[in-house]
């Protein structure tokens, strides 16, 4: 069970990161609209406007990030059900009824997280940047990106784990080699 929770949390985090890539790229100050390098990036105002938050909400919804929030409620209910019925299988029938009864209450909290994410995006990106990001996610290329995202996450998560493992092993080997040169055998 803890492995499932950590894998789910890792997948949600990874999904948020990958889902945010196009939005993050939208804020990169590589060039001005006229293509002049070195210009200053537009800075989002301290208090985002309602329109900016609305645009950010579109980015959160159309980018697939909201999917990451939507899986939390059913997964937690499944985990709670499995945990409670492991030692008390007689609770299954009533527990299933109760979980179906409370699910809508917790589904409403997904909107809270979508709103929170929109405010975070709106605080970091200007309204034009958010419009551009939303336009991308609504475009055929953006829709294809979002549709491919779950499969990419399935492929990327183990690749990331392997990369982290190899990186860690290589760091330890390299540090040991350098420490040996200094007379320390670790």
């Amino acid at each position: 069970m803890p492995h499932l929770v950590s894998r789910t949390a890792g997948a949600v985090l990874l999904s948020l990161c990958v889902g945010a890539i196009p939005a993050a790229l939208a804020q990169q100050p590589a060039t001005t609209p006229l293509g002049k390098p070195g210009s200053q990036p537009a800075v989002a105002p301290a208090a985002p406007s309602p329109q900016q938050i609305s645009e950010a909400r579109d980015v959160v919804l159309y980018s697939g990030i909201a999917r990451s929030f939507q899986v939390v409620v059913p997964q937690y209910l499944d985990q709670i059900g499995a945990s409670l019925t492991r030692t008390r299988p007689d609770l299954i029938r009533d527990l299933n009824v109760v979980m179906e009864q409370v699910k809508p209450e917790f589904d409403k909290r997904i909107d809270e997280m979508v709103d929170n994410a929109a405010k975070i995006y709106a605080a970091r990106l200007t309204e034009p940047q958010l419009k551009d990001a939303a336009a991308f996610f609504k475009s055929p290329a953006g829709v294809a990106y979002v549709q491919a995202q779950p499969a990419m996450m399935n492929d990327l998560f183990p690749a990331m784990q392997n990369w982290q493992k190899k990186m860690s092993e290589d760091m330890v080997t390299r540090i040991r080699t350098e420490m040996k040169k200094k007379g320390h055998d670790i």
Side-chain angles (χ1 to χ4, degrees):
M1 183 86 60
H3 183 269
L4 175 63
V5 173
S6 66
R7 183 173 171 93
T8 301
V12 167
L13 181 59
L14 186 59
S15 178
L16 289 173
C17 292
V18 172
I21 289 171
L25 291 175
Q27 77 176 13
Q28 293 300 318
T31 60
T32 64
L34 298 176
K36 296 180 183 174
S39 67
Q40 292 297 317
V43 177
S49 70
Q51 182 60 32
Q52 200 171 352
I53 293 171
S54 176
E55 293 291 340
R57 191 169 182 20
D58 276 355
V59 171
V60 171
L61 292 172
Y62 286 100
S63 68
I65 291 173
R67 278 191 311 230
S68 301
F69 310 144
Q70 292 166 344
V71 300
V72 172
V73 172
Q75 285 179 345
Y76 282 175
L77 288 173
D78 287 347
Q79 290 171 9
I80 291 167
S83 176
L84 293 176
T85 59
R86 186 174 305 121
T87 56
R88 300 274 316 270
D90 56 302
L91 297 177
I92 291 174
R93 174 182 268 160
D94 287 341
L95 186 59
N96 286 337
V97 170
V98 168
M99 288 195 301
E100 282 300 315
Q101 180 183 352
V102 301
K103 186 179 182 300
E105 173 186 341
F106 291 98
D107 282 342
K108 290 178 186 174
R109 291 193 184 181
I110 295 166
D111 283 337
E112 290 175 21
M113 192 59 222
V114 169
D115 290 341
N116 287 337
K119 289 173 186 171
I120 290 167
Y121 275 51
R124 299 277 182 179
L125 300 170
T126 65
E127 188 175 328
Q129 291 168 333
L130 290 164
K131 281 183 182 180
D132 288 347
F136 166 73
F137 286 118
K138 291 176 184 179
S139 74
V143 170
Y145 172 85
V146 172
Q147 287 174 345
Q149 205 175 34
M152 290 186 295
M153 292 300 102
N154 284 339
D155 295 343
L156 193 54
F157 191 73
M160 188 173 148
Q161 286 180 320
N162 291 337
W163 175 77
Q164 288 174 322
K165 182 178 184 254
K166 178 77 170 120
M167 177 82 74
S168 174
E169 291 168 356
D170 290 349
M171 282 182 179
V172 169
T173 300
R174 181 80 168 99
I175 289 169
R176 282 185 175 153
T177 300
E178 292 302 314
M179 289 300 285
K180 191 168 194 147
K181 288 179 185 177
K182 296 190 177 292
H184 304 287
D185 202 14
I186 55 172

